Amino acid sequence: MRDLLIAGLNVGGTKTCAVALSVPADAVAGTPAIAGGSMVAGLRRSTRVGGPAQVTGGIAETVADLAGAAGIGTAGFAALGVGIPGLVDGDAGSVRH
């Protein structure tokens, strides 16, 4: 199996950090923890504020820039994980902090 590229973002109140990791595909399938792999690209920038459109726009831009730094298009990521502080309202589809 070939390696997969996965993206992870930590969206904080003041900064957003992002990383692209190359991991063995067989380590991902059915495994709760990833063993092995390497960092392909990473970046850090200020978190956009002002409302949901600004925050989600900043996330989308960060993912696109991370993909570019990794030498792929955004569809090249096999998975994306996002951490964001606050309370999740599943019914409203929002996060408040």
Side-chain angles (χ1 to χ4, degrees):
M1 287 188 180
R2 66 185 189 102
D3 285 356
L4 300 175
L5 280 177
I6 58 174
L9 276 76
N10 180 359
V11 182
T14 59
K15 70 178 177 295
T16 297
C17 297
V19 64
L21 301 172
S22 175
V23 296
D26 58 350
V28 176
T31 305
I34 295 173
S38 61
M39 187 170 132
V40 175
L43 54 91
R44 179 179 171 176
R45 60 175 42 146
S46 295
T47 298
R48 284 194 196 166
V49 295
Q54 289 79 9
V55 174
T56 56
I59 291 170
E61 184 179 292
T62 300
V63 171
D65 291 348
L66 182 65
I72 62 169
T74 55
F77 288 121
L80 170 67
V82 179
I84 188 167
L87 300 173
V88 176
D89 183 340
D91 294 332
S94 64
V95 178
R96 294 178 189 227
H97 65 101

